[in-house]
Amino acid sequence: MTYPPNGSTAPPGHTAVPTMPTVPPQQTRGTAPPVPVAPPPAEPRRTAWAEGIERLKSAATTEPGRLRIIGAVLALLVVAFGATTAWQMTDRQAAADDVLHSSQPLSADAADIYRSLADANTTASSGFLAGGQETAAVRDRYEKDIRTAADKLVTAAASTDPGTPSAATIAKLNKLLPEYKGLIERARANNRQGYPLGGAYLRYANEKMQTEMLPAAEDLYTKENQRLRDDYDAATPYPWIAIALGVVALAGLAWAQRRNYRLTNRVFNHGLLAATAASAVVLLWLVVGHTVARGGLNASYDQGVRSLNVLHDASIASLKARGNENLTLVSRGAETVKVGEEVKDKYDVDFQKQMTTLATKLKAADALAEGDAAGEAPVTKANSSMKEWRIRHTDARKQDDSGNYQGALDKIIGSKDDKPTGECFDLVDQSLDQALVHEQAQFTSDATGGRDAMTGLSVGAAILAVLAAAGALLGIGRRLSEYR
């Protein structure tokens, strides 16, 4: 018999229970010790998502829980609708603003650079033909063209991101412009002294203009036109994501009110009704506002930009034709090309080509201006002057081909009594300028109307969406209060 290990006696009234000594189990020789059994693996902890789903399922078993879920979903839908509307319309309004204040003005500047360079080249050749009697008007026109080109290049450079292809083209033109001007001054200096070298310098300057400067200016014009087209593509598509969310939000609100009516037999829930009204206003404003904006922007492109592009092309063709006409007399047959079996003056062949282009562009401009009397009148006048120009040019070529150089010169740059082709060219140029001013005003009016139709839509949609979400939550809260 043993007592507690600390040697204490059993308490009074209790008999000590003897304990048997622990005998270790006998291990049989050659037998492996028992293998400990691993405890069963702990049950994996559920993810927060799974726990949330479980709570949601539990809440959905009671009407108050279902109401809370419905209220949260409706508020989320309405807020998503408002946020998406604000986002998409902000992007479209920014693109429309770029069309009006950035890409189209830059496209027009690029066209002006091209026209100024082409007109400077044409005016220089006209002044050269006058010899030492170059008029102050001709000289002033040339200087004005050079200044215009330089100023427009500065404007374009300030509005173009560094490192872009357009920036490289502008830098190239800035480098070539003083080189061209230097060649023209050498041509004039030699021409005043009667040296034939003046004609060579003029042809070299024309070659630089035709093969380097004008292609670069045309490339700049093409790039800015593409930038303009990209801005239109960003501004005009319908915001389908926002519209779809608006329809879903209204459908959800309608379902919630129908459910409320079926359960309570109450026709109206003021909170849900206010949320529905606010969402309907946003959706209607979105669809109507963007439709009006889209119509204005499309009109500005179809009736403005397209006409401007065609008129710019016509003006450039006219300037090129005039320059080639002048160079036909300057070169005096020094530059020829073979056309079929005939050898013809290179500049006269180019003149005919540009006049064909001019006639084609004027026909297209007349079709685009159909129904617009103010737009048709200058195009009709330019077309009439172009036809007279061709007749007078034919007379001038007859004089030159017969050896009467002075007679041909009078037919090109002479006084009004000589009925010179220069008079027709000036009329074509002035008429096209009038048409360009009219179409630019038409573009500005339509594009401004399109952009203004989106004014306030982004902010208004966001505010109304917040009010609609609040209304939905208040409406559901009113139902929940009935269970307290």
Side-chain angles (χ1 to χ4, degrees):
M1 180 181 302
T2 61
Y3 293 96
N6 58 6
S8 61
T9 60
H14 289 80
T15 304
V17 180
T19 60
M20 298 299 293
T22 302
V23 180
Q26 299 295 320
Q27 181 176 335
T28 308
R29 182 178 296 176
T31 304
V35 179
V37 179
E43 204 174 304
R45 185 175 179 179
R46 291 184 302 172
T47 63
W49 174 259
E51 291 181 358
I53 294 295
E54 187 65 29
R55 291 195 197 99
L56 194 62
K57 288 180 178 178
S58 177
T61 59
T62 65
E63 180 59 17
R66 285 191 288 269
L67 286 173
R68 289 188 181 93
I69 294 172
I70 291 171
V73 171
L74 290 177
L76 181 63
L77 276 175
V78 172
V79 169
F81 169 43
T84 305
T85 299
W87 159 54
Q88 290 198 296
M89 294 312 299
T90 296
D91 285 349
R92 280 157 177 75
Q93 189 171 9
D97 198 64
D98 285 341
V99 165
L100 186 61
H101 294 125
S102 179
S103 51
Q104 198 281 328
L106 279 175
S107 176
D109 284 345
D112 287 341
I113 290 169
Y114 195 113
R115 293 177 65 224
S116 297
L117 293 174
D119 192 60
N121 198 49
T122 297
T123 306
S125 61
S126 297
F128 187 90
L129 287 176
Q133 289 78 41
E134 180 182 13
T135 64
V138 171
R139 178 76 183 188
D140 290 344
R141 180 170 177 169
Y142 167 80
E143 293 293 344
K144 180 182 177 183
D145 287 332
I146 294 296
R147 284 195 305 272
T148 299
D151 291 344
K152 295 293 184 180
L153 284 170
V154 171
T155 302
S159 304
T160 304
D161 295 330
T164 60
S166 292
T169 303
I170 292 169
K172 179 180 180 180
L173 286 170
N174 275 322
K175 177 178 176 292
L176 291 172
L177 188 59
E179 294 178 7
Y180 170 81
K181 191 174 180 182
L183 290 172
I184 292 298
E185 293 306 321
R186 292 182 185 182
R188 281 174 169 162
N190 282 277
N191 188 44
R192 290 192 196 98
Q193 299 178 56
Y195 296 154
L197 190 60
Y201 272 119
L202 184 65
R203 290 194 298 274
Y204 184 38
N206 177 72
E207 189 73 13
K208 182 178 285 291
M209 177 66 74
Q210 298 292 340
T211 60
E212 296 182 64
M213 299 179 71
L214 289 182
E218 184 176 10
D219 181 58
L220 179 63
Y221 177 55
T222 301
K223 286 185 174 69
E224 294 304 328
N225 256 353
Q226 182 57 49
R227 179 179 169 184
L228 174 61
R229 182 67 262 181
D230 291 343
D231 284 338
Y232 269 107
D233 290 342
T236 54
Y238 274 107
W240 291 115
I241 298 176
I243 292 173
L245 280 172
V247 171
V248 172
L250 282 175
L253 287 165
W255 173 83
Q257 290 178 89
R258 182 172 180 272
R259 181 180 183 277
N260 182 60
Y261 171 72
R262 292 178 63 186
L263 293 177
T264 66
N265 206 30
R266 295 171 184 165
V267 178
F268 296 119
N269 178 293
H270 295 128
L272 292 177
L273 188 62
T276 304
S279 298
V281 168
V282 174
L283 183 59
L284 185 63
W285 190 2
L286 173 64
V287 173
V288 174
H290 190 271
T291 300
V292 173
R294 179 186 173 95
L297 289 170
N298 284 338
S300 73
Y301 187 85
D302 293 335
Q303 301 172 22
V305 173
R306 288 178 60 197
S307 294
L308 286 169
N309 289 342
V310 170
L311 291 169
H312 280 307
D313 290 343
S315 180
I316 289 166
S318 172
L319 290 165
K320 284 184 174 181
R322 180 59 177 172
N324 285 316
E325 186 177 51
N326 291 337
L327 287 168
T328 302
L329 295 182
V330 172
S331 67
R332 299 192 181 188
E335 300 281 347
T336 59
V337 291
K338 193 171 184 180
V339 181
E341 297 299 322
E342 295 183 72
V343 176
K344 294 186 177 182
D345 186 283
K346 174 183 179 300
Y347 297 111
D348 191 53
V349 171
D350 288 343
F351 168 84
Q352 297 297 342
K353 179 181 177 181
Q354 296 302 327
M355 290 299 283
T356 300
T357 301
L358 175 59
T360 301
K361 295 299 180 181
L362 286 175
K363 184 177 180 180
D366 188 59
L368 289 171
E370 187 175 359
D372 180 5
E376 283 181 332
V379 174
T380 301
K381 186 176 180 181
N383 193 48
S384 176
S385 300
M386 180 269 297
K387 292 177 180 178
E388 179 64 23
W389 185 359
R390 278 184 153 171
I391 295 171
R392 295 186 184 185
H393 177 80
T394 301
D395 292 341
R397 293 308 308 145
K398 287 179 180 178
Q399 295 292 330
D400 193 29
D401 291 340
S402 65
N404 185 5
Y405 177 80
Q406 185 59 47
L409 187 62
D410 292 339
K411 291 288 184 181
I412 299 296
I413 63 168
S415 64
K416 287 187 177 182
D417 294 337
D418 298 314
K419 294 184 178 180
T421 59
E423 183 180 15
C424 298
F425 162 73
D426 288 338
L427 289 173
V428 170
D429 195 52
Q430 292 166 10
S431 298
L432 290 175
D433 281 345
Q434 292 174 8
L436 284 166
V437 169
H438 172 76
E439 296 301 334
Q440 183 66 43
Q442 185 72 39
F443 160 81
T444 301
S445 176
D446 291 336
T448 300
R451 184 205 57 181
D452 290 349
M454 293 184 276
T455 300
L457 182 51
S458 300
V459 176
I463 294 173
L464 287 172
V466 171
L467 293 176
L473 292 175
L474 288 173
I476 295 297
R478 181 67 180 272
R479 285 280 295 118
L480 282 171
S481 66
E482 297 172 0
Y483 290 88
R484 296 181 187 140

